Amino acid sequence: MLMAATAASSVRLSTPGAVYTKAQLPRPQRPHARLLPLLGGRRRAVLAASAPSTPPDISDKVSESIKKAEDACSGDAVSGECAAAWDEVEELSAAASHARDKLKANSDPLENYCKDNPETDECRTYDN
Amino acid sequence: MMVCSLYPALRVTTPWSCSESHLGSCRKQLMFCVSRRKARRRAWTGVSCSAETRTVVIGLAADSGCGKSTFMRRLTSVLGGVAEPPRGCNAYSNTLVGDATTVICLDDYHALDREGRKEKGVTALDPKANNFDLMYEQVRALKSGVAVEKPVYNHVTGCLDPPELIRPPNILFIEGLHPLFDPRIRSLLDFSIYLDISNEVKFAWKIQRDMAERGESLESIKASIKARKSDFDMYIDPQKQYADAIIEVLPTRLIPEKSATEVLRVRLVMREGVKHFTPVYLFDEGSTISWTPCGGKLSCSYPGIRFFYGPDTYFSDEASVLEMDGQFDRLDELIYVESHLSNLSTKYYGEVTQQMLKHADFPGSNDGTGLFQTIIGLKIRQLYEQIIAGESSHGWKREQLRRCLRLSPV
């Protein structure tokens, strides 16, 4: 853990700009930014590293539930079963989205280390 | 937490019957003390009363996929600390625990798990799928300082997992689909917020969330929204008439294209007459103001920012509405806007801007959603401080108690 932190910190110190948080608002996120991974096979590999993917078990559950919902609604589109099936899709999509966010939050080992040790040199941030 | 422990050896008969319901524990002790003083017995050293903090309960109602989690993260950050899932047994716990706050997800009170709902043909939006009796009992217990074993609903498996222990915090948030549905629970809430997202914006957000997911198509998202709409309109939407603050998110009016949702118009509706809550205003409280900050002093990029403030009626109640249409592009726009808003309940100049910057990576950090959520967080902080100050205005009685018990001041 210490080794990993030192390794991560040495990588971090080599890019000193990254240590300091800049008092700047990021550019507004465009809604189609997430669609970029779907465009062009060549860019996919690069963007897959930055856009967190859903864990495969949840992702399979979502696809399965969509199929089930489409089957349930093929008979009667206003029945309770149809609504319950699409509600399940919505629930699983929300769970998938939370899982993606959690993966994104846990992906950087330095961030995880700094959460527990904010006073160490590698983790200090300066606002001015 | 306030602990007034009473040593059983000191039996006192008093004419008062101290029921444990609404009396603060310290007041109970005072009554005992007065009778003791008459008897002039030795000092009652068995009582220790530390600072009183009762649990303040805040409710947040919103549909799934409407930014409840982001709102919660912002709120808990304003109130201090980071709220994280409890380090315990269940990796799928929906609860968040911070230094002063605990967030409970009301999905944990589902009466029917996923299989059960499928059999009965009900959605999670239907009140039949939720156990309101248990919800009310546990929220009431937490409010009065008693820890509870709360069930856990696993969103991935769709089953009800074994319960987890929840200790009463300083501020308890209950977020979910039905915090304002049951009148008993409504009576327990000190403040409530409803996130009202318009259909076009909800659709755009769901596309953004789910399209990146392999297998989700536009048709499936549309079908999912349509299937849930009737239950949503029947059970969830009516809750907004009971909320103290409503955040409405609509498409912008600044761009002439029909229903452009890249830029948002956000309205903060604040009910008048809510205890410990003073609405935010622009320039002059009670008047109607339309303000475009972009111009000579401040240059903004397209489509700019427009503010509106004025009194209004909301479900036949008086309310004030503060509206922001547009986006912040730069830091100085944000601080310029903050300097013109009043009654923000900040503790220092620039606190809103600083909070927004702290979470610049959260969605909505550059438009009214982030701004109003941060402001609501500051309002909740003020509400909490006022409630606690009000409770301890009985502090003078505590002083008397301490003196009569001949205890040194804490």
Side-chain angles (χ1 to χ4, degrees), chain B residues 252-307:
Chain B
T252 183
R253 276 188 191 154
L254 300 173
I255 300 177
E257 283 132 41
K258 196 169 64 134
S259 299
T261 51
E262 285 85 19
V263 179
L264 298 172
R265 179 173 144 234
V266 189
R267 304 179 80 226
L268 176 60
V269 180
M270 298 164 280
R271 275 225 159 81
E272 294 288 345
V274 176
K275 212 170 164 199
H276 304 302
F277 175 64
T278 47
V280 180
Y281 66 87
L282 196 53
F283 304 132
D284 184 19
E285 198 170 9
S287 46
T288 304
I289 312 273
S290 180
W291 181 46
T292 307
C294 308
K297 274 199 225 165
L298 187 72
S299 57
C300 318
S301 54
Y302 182 78
I305 305 172
R306 203 171 294 171
F307 273 87

Side-chain angles (χ1 to χ4, degrees), chain B residues 51-89:
Chain B
E52 167 81 65
T53 51
R54 77 148 168 103
T55 299
V56 170
V57 187
I58 315 279
L60 171 64
D63 192 11
S64 160
C66 289
K68 282 196 297 275
S69 320
T70 310
F71 198 167
M72 276 299 127
R73 279 150 81 198
R74 259 191 238 278
L75 285 178
T76 47
S77 164
V78 167
L79 296 164
V82 177
E84 282 171 341
R87 289 176 196 204
C89 314

Side-chain angles (χ1 to χ4, degrees), chain B residues 347-379:
Chain B
K347 294 206 161 138
Y348 53 86
Y349 174 73
E351 191 175 8
V352 173
T353 305
Q354 192 179 60
Q355 280 293 333
M356 298 271 286
L357 282 178
K358 207 161 122 187
H359 303 293
D361 55 331
F362 285 4
S365 299
N366 60 339
D367 60 32
T369 45
L371 176 66
F372 294 152
Q373 286 174 4
T374 308
I375 292 175
I376 290 285
L378 296 168
K379 290 286 165 199

Side-chain angles (χ1 to χ4, degrees), chain B residues 202-399:
Chain B
K202 207 186 278 193
F203 184 45
W205 284 2
K206 294 216 163 139
I207 291 177
Q208 194 181 343
R209 187 189 74 180
D210 298 336
M211 283 288 270
E213 180 60 37
R214 194 184 57 221
E216 287 249 35
S217 66
L218 205 59
E219 283 73 35
S220 69
I221 297 174
K222 268 193 203 160
S224 168
I225 294 179
K226 192 168 159 206
R228 296 170 84 247
K229 195 164 175 0
S230 69
D231 273 358
F232 176 79
D233 290 339
M234 207 173 351
Y235 304 120
I236 314 298
D237 208 44
Q239 290 177 92
K240 61 190 182 193
Q241 60 187 296
Y242 303 114
D244 298 318
I246 299 101
I247 298 184
E248 291 180 7
V249 182
L250 307 139
T252 183
R253 276 188 191 154
L254 300 173
I255 300 177
E257 283 132 41
K258 196 169 64 134
S259 299
T261 51
E262 285 85 19
V263 179
L264 298 172
R265 179 173 144 234
V266 189
R267 304 179 80 226
L268 176 60
V269 180
M270 298 164 280
R271 275 225 159 81
E272 294 288 345
V274 176
K275 212 170 164 199
H276 304 302
F277 175 64
T278 47
V280 180
Y281 66 87
L282 196 53
F283 304 132
D284 184 19
E285 198 170 9
S287 46
T288 304
I289 312 273
S290 180
W291 181 46
T292 307
C294 308
K297 274 199 225 165
L298 187 72
S299 57
C300 318
S301 54
Y302 182 78
I305 305 172
R306 203 171 294 171
F307 273 87
F308 169 80
Y309 164 75
D312 203 352
T313 45
Y314 191 77
F315 283 95
S316 56
D317 284 333
E318 283 188 16
S320 312
V321 179
L322 177 64
E323 176 183 313
M324 173 178 161
D325 197 349
Q327 282 178 348
F328 296 113
D329 226 10
R330 296 188 324 274
L331 172 66
D332 50 350
E333 291 169 18
L334 188 44
I335 196 84
Y336 188 80
V337 162
E338 183 183 343
S339 60
H340 288 84
L341 289 168
S342 309
N343 241 353
L344 284 170
S345 309
T346 49
K347 294 206 161 138
Y348 53 86
Y349 174 73
E351 191 175 8
V352 173
T353 305
Q354 192 179 60
Q355 280 293 333
M356 298 271 286
L357 282 178
K358 207 161 122 187
H359 303 293
D361 55 331
F362 285 4
S365 299
N366 60 339
D367 60 32
T369 45
L371 176 66
F372 294 152
Q373 286 174 4
T374 308
I375 292 175
I376 290 285
L378 296 168
K379 290 286 165 199
I380 290 177
R381 184 180 66 185
Q382 182 190 47
L383 179 130
Y384 171 73
E385 285 167 359
Q386 284 182 358
I387 289 179
I388 296 307
E391 300 273 309
S392 65
S393 71
H394 300 301
W396 67 268
K397 285 187 182 172
R398 208 180 325 129
E399 229 14 85

Side-chain angles (χ1 to χ4, degrees), chain A residues 4-127:
Chain A
T6 330
S9 67
S10 62
V11 167
R12 184 91 169 191
L13 287 170
S14 68
T15 54
V19 175
Y20 308 103
T21 52
K22 294 191 183 147
Q24 223 176 46
L25 292 167
R27 287 274 142 216
Q29 248 197 5
R30 305 216 197 280
H32 58 264
R34 291 261 187 97
L35 296 176
L36 287 175
L38 299 175
L39 304 166
R42 224 169 22 155
R43 295 177 75 169
R44 192 190 288 259
V46 173
L47 287 166
S50 56
S53 53
T54 320
D57 54 345
I58 302 183
S59 168
D60 291 337
K61 278 198 159 99
V62 174
S63 325
E64 224 178 274
S65 66
I66 294 176
K67 280 198 206 79
K68 275 195 224 160
E70 282 163 357
D71 292 335
C73 296
S74 55
D76 181 8
V78 294
S79 67
E81 284 78 24
C82 180
W86 281 118
D87 189 44
E88 189 185 325
V89 172
E90 169 60 36
E91 198 188 330
L92 284 166
S93 306
S97 158
H98 288 140
R100 279 197 294 271
D101 291 341
K102 225 189 265 189
L103 273 180
K104 192 161 62 162
N106 287 339
S107 59
D108 188 354
L110 182 63
E111 286 300 329
N112 291 337
Y113 174 70
C114 289
K115 228 192 296 190
D116 296 324
N117 308 284
E119 71 289 346
T120 50
D121 284 342
E122 301 87 7
C123 300
R124 284 179 176 236
T125 53
Y126 300 87
D127 286 327

